[in-house]
Amino acid sequence: MSRSETRKTVLVAGAANLVLAITKLIAGLLAGSSAMLAEGAHSIADTLNQSFLFASLRRSERPPDKRHPFGYGNERYVWSLLAAFGIFIAGAGFSIFEGILTMTGHGGTGTAVWLAYAVLALAAVLEGASLIRAFHQARMETRESDHELVEHVRRSPDLTFKTALFEDSAAMIGIALAAGGLVLRQITGSEFWDGLASVLIGVLLAGLALLIGRESTVLLIGRAADPEAQREIRAEILGAPGVTGVDELLTMHFGPEQLLVAAKVHFSDAISADQAEDVAGEIDRRLRERLPIVRHVFLDPTQRFVRKESPA
């Protein structure tokens, strides 16, 4: 369910951003508003990013092969990293540059401010619908994980979904900043406030890009399962008959829906090698049932060494 829900979230966000990218740019040019142009650049960056994220969903579904025996799940994080660069360059860079031009008296001119307000109202509706869709997915997943909403988003390895959620949240803040800049421009008659709103939108997008980039980097390097999942895995292994201890437990995500488990396991001396192999197979089966994201389980049987006291 998680993959299909993420696909719907990305498609809804992409459709909303495509419509808004065109209307914001037109409104920005007619109103002579750098804040609206910044919002247009924001929506263009988001549209490109949603395309990246949708491509990542398709490419990560490819089955394992000889060159990639663990599959292509990590490709989701590569495309999320590209999305972060897109936000930073196409969104933040343009917005800050355009805002500085306006603040220094080199911005554009226009009179159709009413159109800018109308587009912002439309943007609030469309971005709000996209944000509601992302929150709906988050709430569905929190019911399955028994975590609070914020904690679930923080722990989730599904960076495609998190990027859509973060982008939609930033979009709503950006709309508020653009509206504030336009209102202050009309009240004071100074273009400075419109330019300042554009710069603030750029700073917001730069922060968003850094957040997504950091998350992508951590997951690309190889992030372990969260502590709660590790405790469940350890408990499942220790609960198997003939297991007397777990010396080392290693986990790593290969995409949001695949988890590798490797452990050094102590087996009782009372069971044979064949019995230990059967127990390992049962552990593999039970882990996959308890945690469906577990796809690969490697158990290394070890022995406990008892230090013997040297004779006096």
Side-chain angles (χ1 to χ4, degrees):
M1 183 194 72
S2 178
R3 185 184 292 269
S4 63
E5 292 297 323
T6 298
R7 193 188 304 275
K8 292 177 184 177
T9 299
V10 170
L11 286 174
V12 170
N17 285 316
L18 180 60
V19 173
L20 291 175
I22 299 172
T23 55
K24 285 179 180 178
L25 288 176
I26 294 174
L29 291 172
L30 294 178
S33 169
S34 63
M36 283 302 301
L37 291 175
E39 273 297 290
H42 182 177
S43 293
I44 289 175
D46 284 353
T47 302
L48 292 174
N49 295 338
Q50 298 303 331
S51 301
F52 286 159
L53 297 178
F54 186 73
S56 76
L57 290 173
R58 296 181 62 86
R59 292 181 62 84
S60 65
E61 291 176 345
R62 290 178 294 171
D65 53 38
K66 291 182 178 180
R67 296 189 64 183
H68 299 87
F70 294 107
Y72 291 82
N74 276 350
E75 193 158 346
R76 299 269 286 270
Y77 307 139
V78 175
W79 288 90
S80 294
L81 188 59
L82 291 176
F85 282 122
I87 294 172
F88 189 83
I89 296 172
F94 176 83
S95 299
I96 293 174
F97 176 75
E98 181 67 24
I100 292 174
L101 283 180
T102 301
M103 292 170 69
T104 56
H106 297 87
T109 59
T111 57
V113 180
W114 64 268
L115 179 59
Y117 285 123
V119 171
L120 286 176
L122 174 64
V125 173
L126 294 180
E127 296 285 11
S130 179
L131 182 60
I132 290 172
R133 168 67 223 176
F135 268 109
H136 172 69
Q137 177 181 348
R139 290 195 177 278
M140 290 178 64
E141 294 179 358
T142 52
R143 284 196 292 268
E144 297 175 0
S145 63
D146 295 327
H147 293 145
E148 295 295 330
L149 181 62
V150 175
E151 181 67 12
H152 170 73
V153 173
R154 188 183 69 83
R155 292 187 178 199
S156 175
D158 188 351
L159 195 53
T160 306
F161 150 68
K162 290 167 74 169
T163 299
L165 178 63
F166 294 158
E167 284 183 350
D168 290 337
S169 301
M172 296 301 291
I173 298 173
I175 291 170
L177 290 172
L182 284 172
V183 169
L184 289 173
R185 187 182 85 166
Q186 284 193 289
I187 292 175
T188 64
S190 172
E191 300 287 338
F192 173 85
W193 302 106
D194 187 48
L196 179 60
S198 180
V199 171
L200 291 177
I201 291 170
V203 172
L204 172 69
L205 293 176
L208 174 64
L210 291 174
L211 175 62
I212 297 173
R214 184 187 66 181
E215 290 281 324
S216 301
T217 302
V218 169
L219 288 162
L220 271 173
I221 292 172
R223 198 185 81 179
D226 64 71
E228 182 178 336
Q230 292 189 47
R231 285 193 293 270
E232 289 187 41
I233 293 170
R234 185 179 293 271
E236 193 66 51
I237 296 174
L238 289 172
V243 174
T244 59
V246 177
D247 187 47
E248 188 176 13
L249 176 63
L250 302 175
T251 60
M252 188 171 74
H253 279 283
F254 284 90
E257 297 164 3
Q258 295 187 46
L259 185 67
L260 179 146
V261 176
K264 290 185 177 181
V265 180
H266 299 295
F267 286 97
S268 170
D269 294 336
I271 65 174
S272 65
D274 290 340
Q275 289 174 322
E277 185 176 345
D278 292 338
V279 171
E282 181 65 15
I283 291 173
D284 188 332
R285 185 187 65 80
R286 292 176 62 176
L287 280 176
R288 293 169 188 263
E289 288 182 355
R290 186 166 179 175
L291 296 170
I293 65 170
V294 173
R295 300 295 178 85
H296 309 280
V297 180
F298 301 98
L299 302 180
D300 179 19
T302 61
Q303 294 179 339
R304 290 185 183 274
F305 293 98
V306 180
R307 181 180 295 177
K308 297 182 180 180
E309 296 183 2
S310 58

